[in-house]
Amino acid sequence: MYGFEALTFNIHGGYLEAIVRGHRARLLTAADYNNLCQCETLEDIKMHLSATEYGPYLQNEPSPLHTTTIVEKCTLKLVDDYKHMLCQATEPLSTFLEYITYGHMIDNVVLIVTGTLHERDVQELLEKCHPLGMFDSIASLAVAQNMRELYRLVLVDTPLAPYFSDCITSEDLDDMNIEIMRNTLYKAYLEDFYKFCQKLGGATAEIMSDLLAFEADRRAVNITINSIGTELTRDDRKKLYSNFGLLYPYGHEELAVSEDIDQVRAVMEKYPPYQSIFAKLSFGESQMLDKAFNEEEVKRLCLAFDQQFHYAVFFAYMRLREQEVRNLMWISECVAQNQKSRVHDSVVFIF
């Protein structure tokens, strides 16, 4: 019952909530990012990170360092935190934590299938997969020729199986079908996660509804922009939008018929929470949209920590840590390629 979580929450969730709030306190600050942006080499970045939580993960890495090594080791820190929390969690928190990884599973499935389509080596593809989205039979994805085989041979035994009901066709896999599959799976996953959070009730339902609705709306905008000028019909486009969120249902009707970025902008500016995002962009521009959405998401994730006795802090921490790894990857790439002037372009400050 909403408002009474404080009576019982700490019996099973108190220790882990304390742990996750401790992790959140050790995320990189604006001062850390400013120092990292001044670095001249990847060795300088490693030296600065040695004073942070990433220190033990990078200390034994030999020179010369590569960007991929830094990203891999920083991701390992995220994975270790997640596994520790999952080991300590009891129901329903353990199921909630598992839901967080399903998005990475979908990305891994798409990565393997797309790579195989373009005749890339399976081992090389497996190395690029996100460790949180791995499952036992992932390497077998390479043998599938269409959605039906993909489901029957591999995915029927994974948590993604229920999400495939709308994807199973006998059409051969090509780039367009794979992208439609990714978005259909994400739609089913977000709707399922949303229902699960509603079932939990209380502050978890309230905060997660807001965070997942934002994610659903962002995906709707991205699907619209990416499908402009393709053979995707308006009805097909609409089928890929999630059935919840601030834009549902009237915003979806308008997005489905949008033909360019300015029409998308006109739709989004009718919704006050999204006006500030599009105010940062000049007309006809969509390159900086991702950064504007990421900044808004980070703001909302940080607000999740203002309340106590709910599970949304675990989701928020994982997302913030993932954004931190993306920031480090961008800074490392700019330093490695001597593009220091662009270092601030994609960095999203968390605090």
Side-chain angles (χ1 to χ4, degrees), residues 47-63:
M47 189 173 74
H48 182 78
L49 290 177
S50 64
T52 69
E53 292 241 296
Y54 298 116
Y57 293 88
L58 287 165
Q59 65 186 9
N60 296 323
E61 289 304 311
S63 298

Side-chain angles (χ1 to χ4, degrees), residues 12 188 199 228 234 266 321:
H12 297 295
K199 226 185 287 175
I228 291 169
R234 289 171 179 180
R321 186 66 86 174

Side-chain angles (χ1 to χ4, degrees), residues 110 113-118 147 172-183 231:
V110 172
V113 174
T114 311
T116 308
L117 186 67
H118 296 291
M147 307 282 189
D172 283 351
L173 292 165
D174 60 28
D175 284 339
M176 186 69 159
N177 284 339
I178 291 169
E179 208 46 46
I180 289 172
M181 176 183 82
R182 181 211 294 271
N183 286 306
E231 64 217 47

Side-chain angles (χ1 to χ4, degrees), residues 16-25 304-305 307-308 310 313:
L16 281 178
E17 191 185 2
I19 289 285
V20 83
R21 286 178 185 276
H23 286 325
R24 177 258 191 194
F305 287 91
Q307 285 196 51
Q308 265 187 299
H310 63 88
V313 287

Side-chain angles (χ1 to χ4, degrees), residues 194 196-210 310:
Y194 183 81
F196 177 74
C197 292
Q198 292 299 314
K199 226 185 287 175
L200 291 176
T204 301
E206 182 193 352
I207 298 165
M208 283 304 297
S209 295
D210 179 58
H310 63 88

